[in-house]
């Protein structure tokens, strides 16, 4: 009986398909793969991302032909925004409650910073350091605030130094999703702007570094830190680090440091060969504008040492600027 019913069913299917196949063929309808938005909607760990994409009116775009690559923050990544400037984007409920047009525009810009206008699988990412331009438009001509910086070591991929790809190569009909553990934030200030903002903040930081850079002898270095055409890495000493250095030099303030000594010290903190993120660092020497500094592993982080003095801890690292990257250190690097 079962065989007779099966033959009858197959016969009916063949009969219905007779106009498009031979009598002895059975057509199996193709399986339609889900697009990027549909894949995200089907994954509970992307529920906050889906809410954000919907709020920013990007669902139609990311459902289109593409191809796209989306570095997709998971729910835990969005939760890290709670209590900060982007707290409104830290949960589904908070995102759904946003009605301010400027906040929605800001959210759209942040999300587009996670999108590449091409299909990039993990195997397509070059080993070592590389740069990709995102779908986020630059805020102004000559301002590099729409690039992400990738580091690939073995099967590990990092973005902008501190963000990891936790699940790679989630396939969709119009591209690829890579799940990540942080929300990527595009830079909004130059290195000089970061130093100036921190010096004016409460509590203040980098007041001594700013004072040093504002000395006439350091004018060229301050100009480089302020130029959007720069591509540099700065190890930025804290105020406490400068105070310790002044004590070691038997000086009362930064203004008492001789010009040549001041410039030599500041140059020791600047890598002019490009953005060097913590994910790019390996133990060994790194060339600065004033000779090499020595990088060493320390627990889960790194230290950096100048020609003399105590090794400085790098914490925090990877403060992205429009013209480079800043690593905060707790000792001044003395030549």
């Amino acid at each position: 009986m079962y065989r007779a019913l099966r033959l009858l069913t197959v016969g009916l299917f063949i009969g219905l398909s007779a106009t498009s196949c031979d009598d002895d063929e059975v057509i199996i309808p193709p399986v339609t793969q889900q697009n990027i938005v549909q894949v995200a909607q089907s994954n509970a760990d992307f529920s906050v991302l889906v809410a954000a994409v919907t709020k920013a009116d990007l669902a139609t775009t990311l459902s289109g032909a593409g191809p796209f690559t989306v570095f997709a923050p998971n729910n835990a990544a969005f939760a890290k925004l709670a209590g900060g400037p982007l707290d409104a984007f830290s949960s589904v409920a908070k995102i759904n409650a946003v009605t301010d047009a400027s906040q929605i525009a800001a959210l759209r810009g942040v999300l587009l910073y996670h999108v590449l206008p091409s299909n990039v699988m993990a195997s397509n990412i070059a080993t070592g350091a590389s740069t990709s331009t995102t779908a986020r438009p630059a805020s102004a001509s000559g301002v590099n605030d729409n690039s992400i910086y990738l580091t690939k070591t073995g099967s590990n991929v990092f973005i902008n130094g501190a963000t990891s790809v936790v699940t790679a190569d989630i396939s969709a009909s119009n591209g690829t999703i890579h799940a990540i553990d942080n929300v990527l934030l595009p830079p909004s200030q130059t290195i000089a702007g970061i130093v100036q903002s921190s010096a004016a903040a409460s509590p203040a930081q980098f007041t001594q570094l700013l004072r040093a850079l504002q000395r006439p002898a350091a004018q060229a270095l301050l100009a480089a830190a302020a130029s959007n055409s720069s591509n540099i890495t700065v190890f930025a000493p804290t105020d406490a680090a400068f105070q310790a250095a002044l004590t070691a030099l038997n000086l009362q303030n930064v203004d008492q440091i001789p010009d040549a000594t001041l410039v030599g010290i500041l140059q020791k903190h600047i890598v002019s060969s490009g953005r060097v993120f913590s994910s790019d660092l390996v133990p060994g020497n790194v060339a600065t504008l004033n000779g090499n500094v020595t990088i060493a592993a320390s627990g889960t982080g790194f230290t950096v040492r100048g020609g003399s003095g105590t090794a400085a801890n790098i914490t925090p690292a990877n403060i992205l600027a429009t013209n480079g990257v800043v690593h905060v250190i707790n000792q001044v690097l003395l030549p």
Side-chain angles (χ1 to χ4, degrees):
M1 175 67 72
Y2 173 81
R3 184 182 180 194
L5 288 173
R6 183 173 181 275
L7 289 172
L8 177 60
T9 302
V10 172
L12 288 172
F13 187 86
I14 293 174
L16 291 172
S17 305
T19 58
S20 58
C21 64
D22 297 333
D23 289 344
D24 58 350
E25 293 180 347
V26 176
I27 293 181
I28 300 175
V31 176
T32 303
Q33 190 179 23
Q34 294 180 316
N35 62 46
I36 285 171
V37 174
Q38 291 169 329
V39 170
Q41 289 171 332
S42 66
N43 188 326
D45 206 28
F46 291 142
S47 61
V48 184
L49 176 62
V50 170
V53 166
T54 302
K55 177 64 68 173
D57 197 24
L58 286 172
T60 299
T61 299
L62 295 177
S63 298
F68 304 108
T69 300
V70 176
F71 292 99
N74 56 28
N75 289 349
F78 276 99
K80 294 177 185 179
L81 300 177
L86 297 180
D87 176 76
F89 307 145
S90 61
S91 70
V92 171
K94 290 179 180 179
I95 289 171
N96 289 340
V98 172
T99 57
D100 182 77
S102 62
Q103 281 188 301
I104 294 172
L107 176 61
R108 183 181 180 90
V110 169
L111 292 175
L112 287 175
Y113 189 61
H114 294 73
V115 179
L116 304 183
S118 58
N119 188 19
V120 179
M121 301 183 69
S123 59
N124 302 134
I125 299 173
T127 297
S130 60
T131 304
S132 292
T133 302
T134 69
R136 179 185 188 272
S139 61
S141 176
V143 177
N144 188 3
D145 57 359
N146 62 343
S147 294
I148 57 173
Y149 303 89
L150 306 171
T151 306
K152 184 177 181 182
T153 305
S155 60
N156 298 316
V157 177
F158 301 91
I159 309 168
N160 295 351
T163 296
S164 299
V165 172
V166 293
T167 304
D169 295 339
I170 303 171
S171 180
S173 62
N174 59 344
T176 301
I177 298 172
H178 303 292
I180 59 176
D181 61 357
N182 287 305
V183 176
L184 304 174
L185 301 178
S188 60
Q189 295 178 303
T190 63
I191 291 173
I194 290 171
V195 172
Q196 289 165 346
S197 295
S198 296
S202 180
Q205 188 59 279
F206 297 151
T207 60
Q208 297 302 304
L209 175 59
L210 178 60
R211 188 170 177 176
L213 286 169
Q214 288 176 333
R215 289 267 301 272
Q219 182 177 0
L221 298 179
L222 179 59
S227 173
N228 272 308
S229 63
S230 295
N231 183 21
I232 58 179
T233 299
V234 172
F235 296 106
T238 62
D239 284 347
F242 262 102
Q243 188 55 55
L246 289 170
T247 299
L249 295 170
N250 294 316
L251 300 174
Q252 298 299 313
N253 58 63
V254 169
D255 294 336
Q256 294 177 329
I257 302 175
D259 285 352
T261 302
L262 176 77
V263 171
I265 290 173
L266 292 175
Q267 288 177 330
K268 198 73 175 179
H269 294 76
I270 301 173
V271 178
S272 63
S273 58
R275 291 168 170 83
V276 181
F277 293 90
S278 63
S279 53
D280 301 317
L281 292 174
V282 293
N285 291 330
V286 173
T288 72
L289 291 177
N290 186 18
N292 290 336
V293 293
T294 303
I295 302 296
S298 177
T300 58
F302 291 92
T303 63
V304 55
R305 185 191 300 271
S308 62
T310 305
N313 293 317
I314 300 174
T315 178
N318 306 313
I319 302 173
L320 184 61
T322 57
N323 61 348
V325 63
V326 175
H327 302 301
V328 180
I329 56 175
N330 65 347
Q331 299 286 339
V332 173
L333 307 177
L334 299 175

